Amino acid sequence: MFRTICHILFRLNRPNPMLTRRIHHRGPTILSLQQPQCLSILYRTFSLWSMKKDPDLESALSRNRRWIVNNQIKNIILRHPNQEIPIAFLQKKFKTLDLKGKALNWLHKYPSCFNVTFTSEEHCCHLSKRMMSLVEEEESVRESQENAFVCRLAKLLMMSVNKRINVLKINELKRNLGFPDDYIVRIVAKYPNLFRVVNEGGRKSSMEIELVHWDPQFAVSTVETAARRSGNIRPTFSCSLPFSWVKSWERFREFDLVPYFSPYVDPRELVEGSKEMEKRNVGLVHEVLSLTLWKKSSIVKLGHFRREFALPDRLNVLLLKHPGIFYVSNKYQIYTVLLREAYVGSKLVEKDPLVVVKEKFGELMQEGLHEYNQRRRHINMEKRRKKGVPLARVDEVKCRRRRSENADSDDDEDGDNKLGGLFDPEERKRFYKVLFDDDTS
């Protein structure tokens, strides 16, 4: 249904983007799009559009699937007795990791991360010394970051309307915030003067963490802190857009005239739908993203806190209205919002110590993969040499294969971009002109 709507909205060949077409949704109800208001309603109901692509920020959103899988394997090994796991047991876990093939072959690709041994008539795997060193370093960083975790959790609760949040919802942002798996024991139980666990329903799903004490030191947002550092009396957001985006800059300046409302102020004093409420909502999302390690989060996860944070139902519309503050992308078919000001190009301006450790893990993994590839290359070259196959001919075949794969990849990308004209600059310009009276320049 979503793709059908995209196709209808973007494949408009007439100058006036008004459409009369039957759209069936949940039954025989017919919606006739003959007025701009109908198009706006349809947009608010079905749309979750991405912004104009920024290559640097798209690169920042890139995730290494191999890193994710190896990190999960690392956690499985650490939870197992003696931190050693039979390969047969790991093979059963491959389905949950969305992997195919043999687990033994996968582990051999990363000799710098995993050591495979043969004991008791079966293969077993444990972490390498360098990998264990990184695990210990990560744990050491987590212990030193305990005060930061307390601050983040307190801020999260202080921004909520009732000063309490369900544990299951906090768990959705646990990785983003850098919390350890046992944060309830390590943080909540250790600071009874700040937090307490409430379970009025008596079920595991109804368990909540409540703020016990309001600490004014925590009730200072990132925007307010930046204003104090720069000597500005009035807190303001920063706009990270090219000056060629004239209309967007005009809207940002108009938005900047509205007084700043701290996300720690009770939102029930503000009028729903007012500019002041919009300013507060933007500030709250900005503050939540500032608390995360990579200054980004899934929009769906943020939407789960809609009731606790008094956010609008169409959070994506709010984010898209402020492209100078937020960057919205649909990379990997997951809608993600990122703080523009937190990045210079594709690099984080300020890296959390946990991010630094995780990057070291990625470097170690790549080092092992490079070593494996080089070893396999030498073995294959030796086999071809013994068979008398000219190496020049082999290299030529490889080049042709790579060119063919790249061409196929480009065709696939073009096909995705053509869907509904979603990434067509002219049709995008016309669509946004209808919605916001802007040419998205």
Side-chain angles (χ1 to χ4, degrees), residues 302-330:
L302 290 178
H304 292 167
F305 293 84
R306 185 168 54 250
R307 182 180 301 174
E308 288 79 2
F309 293 153
L311 291 171
D313 293 335
R314 300 296 174 186
L315 180 59
N316 55 298
V317 177
L318 173 71
L319 300 175
L320 288 169
K321 286 179 65 178
H322 303 279
I325 303 172
F326 307 114
Y327 178 74
V328 178
S329 174
N330 187 26

Side-chain angles (χ1 to χ4, degrees), residues 34-47:
Q34 294 180 339
Q35 299 296 331
Q37 293 86 350
C38 293
L39 183 59
S40 178
I41 292 173
L42 185 62
Y43 167 79
R44 292 195 302 269
T45 305
F46 296 98
S47 66

